[in-house]
Amino acid sequence: MTSADLTRQYLEHKQAVKDLSSSSEDTDSVSLFRASDWWDKDRTMRMSFWGATVHPLAVHYWFNNLERWIGPNPLNASKLTVLRLALRKVIVDQLMSSPVFLGSFLAYSALTQGKTIEDTIHSFKDDWFTIMKGGWSCWPLAHLINFSIVPIQWRALYVNFVQLGFGMFLSMMGNQGGAGVITPVDKLYQRISGSSKTFGSVEGAATVIGISWVFGGFSMAYNWRYVGWNGLGCGIVGATVVLMELSVVAGQSALLPPSCRDYAFLSSAAASSSPLPNKDEEE
């Protein structure tokens, strides 16, 4: 995460210098900006802490749970059997683990920058679907290779290697937000469909993820003898986080902690075309 963030910050500074050079004739200003300090140390510290604590723990426990739940690749199994198991793990990972990890990262980034709960909810609703599509642009193919080819003892190292690239996207999302970001999934959809619209909808993604967690949670509970306490812990923590995430995205304030409900209601009402209800008229 540290290397990814430093690379991202350097590239952002380099692009800013290029944009300034093309739009300004003041060479002195361009030179001063080029020589300015491009390194945001606080930003790197936030990314490094996440990469040193949450990320490795999540990868370790979730991968162990997947192996116990879906099952390891059998010895001397056919390529078709290995591919089938790998595809199951990829689907489960992207619909269950990815929302937990990426949603938690958005909330973590906002709160550690000093944003209020209200601002965090607002930025979360704006950026959640974009960061999910960013994850779907990278990890399905990466994990298909991971679960089918990479030995289990090297999978965490493989993920850290891929994270060098994906971490630059996380660094951007955590600090600049997703406004105007077109992910590779969006570009592929636009090329296939021939339209300028981006892929999918927030409501559709939230529905699919919610249904996946309902069935996946029951499956983990039913197979508790195989997944053990590790799997049950992943299920309880993940289900709680996803429930709160989807509550924010869908504007269902009744499912949020009491301190967040008023703002969630107001932001949901403001986004609709109808005016806020008048309490005096209701009475």
Side-chain angles (χ1 to χ4, degrees), residues 161-241:
F161 177 76
V162 178
Q163 193 72 26
L164 289 174
F166 187 68
M168 289 192 287
F169 172 74
L170 291 183
S171 177
M172 178 198 69
M173 288 296 300
N175 292 275
Q176 300 176 11
V181 174
I182 304 297
T183 67
V185 164
D186 293 317
K187 293 179 181 179
L188 179 61
Y189 175 78
Q190 291 172 346
R191 179 173 298 181
I192 293 174
S193 65
S195 69
S196 59
K197 295 181 179 180
T198 56
F199 172 76
S201 66
V202 177
E203 295 78 10
T207 299
V208 172
I209 289 170
I211 293 173
S212 300
W213 261 100
V214 170
F215 285 99
F218 276 116
S219 177
M220 277 191 282
Y222 180 78
N223 294 285
W224 67 271
R225 293 183 180 178
Y226 299 103
V227 300
W229 289 109
N230 175 41
L232 291 178
C234 288
I236 293 171
V237 173
T240 303
V241 173

Side-chain angles (χ1 to χ4, degrees), residues 2 19 26 34 40 56 113 123 126 134 202-203 218 240 245 247:
T2 303
D19 294 341
D26 188 348
R34 181 182 288 112
D40 184 344
Q113 290 178 61
S123 62
D126 289 342
V202 177
E203 295 78 10
F218 276 116
T240 303
E245 282 186 23
S247 300

